[in-house]
Amino acid sequence: MSHTLFIADLHLCAEEPAITAGFLAFLRREAFQADALYILGDLFEAWIGDDDPEPLHAEIAAALNALQLAGIPCYFIHGNRDFLLGQRFAKACGMRLLPEEQVLELYGRRVLIMHGDTLCTDDEGYQRFRRKVHQRWLQKLFLSLPLFLRQRIARKMRDGSKQANSSKDVAIMDVNAEAVQAVLSRYQVQYLIHGHTHRPAVHKLNVNGVAAERVVLGAWHTQGSMIKVSAEEVALISFPF
Ligand code: LP5
Ligand code: MN
């Protein structure tokens, strides 16, 4: 059955080899059978520049590039952890970088894909933070710093975020219903697929009197999560590593 796969929020890092092993097994078992693979952000726990010599990165690049060499295209949308992932690494992976919102026509279905963090509009602290770190000049300045300084700043950001999250109402860290309605209406799509919230679910919606679905990917902590889109179904599937 012809199908396309979507994943997000693997948060790959050297400290979690089981998740990396799960991802490599997923590529072999599932991705090589698909028409295409879309990675919707937070593939990595943090990304501080394509020049980071972390051995895990080359391992992941080689595995994804093998997909591309087998004729299966792979696309990437940035998450809030790996928004600095650049063309150099994307090329090493054989991945194509997509804009933060992308409409796909798949098997007669119109699908909007994104990471999902931009839908969390109630989280004003995050949206302010996001505006700051998405300033091109600041990103260029950060990327010009020595690696050890970038590592230190990223650690502080991660600690700052954990601390901020610990005192936030969990509700504001989910998508805002009006923001979801607005984006579905703007793009006139039947499906919205995203990650980020780590709240896997299929939400049946009604947008201007038309049925729609918001399908949310799960994070990869102790199991994998993928969405399989085909002519027959749009299925959210969790699976052991
Ligand atoms: O990431 P997670 O799941 O903890 O929470 C996110 C939001 N937090 C973030 C911050 C990231 O974790 C930081 C990752 C950095 C890695 C790459 C470094 C690149 C540097 C680029 C410089 C140009 O995304 C969190 C949301 C949550 O999702 C749910 O949606 O709530 O948002 C926040 O916590 C934002 C806080 O409100 C404020 C941010 C605190 C950061 C403090 C920075 C201090 C250090 C600066 C040193 C110079
Ligand atoms: Mn995220």
Side-chain angles (χ1 to χ4, degrees), residues 162-214:
K162 286 176 194 164
Q163 195 180 350
N165 290 1
S166 63
S167 56
K168 279 182 186 173
D169 175 347
V170 286
I172 73 160
M173 295 197 284
D174 197 356
V175 299
N176 171 286
E178 287 72 40
V180 169
Q181 286 281 330
V183 80
L184 282 167
S185 179
R186 185 185 332 143
Y187 288 102
Q188 296 289 299
V189 294
Q190 296 160 286
Y191 299 91
L192 167 58
I193 294 178
H194 69 84
H196 181 66
T197 61
H198 300 192
R199 303 177 200 210
V202 179
H203 300 271
K204 307 272 186 196
L205 303 169
N206 184 305
V207 182
N208 309 323
V210 179
E213 283 187 8
R214 176 170 69 93

Side-chain angles (χ1 to χ4, degrees), residues 9 42 80 115 196:
D9 297 301
D42 287 2
N80 57 291
H115 178 58
H196 181 66

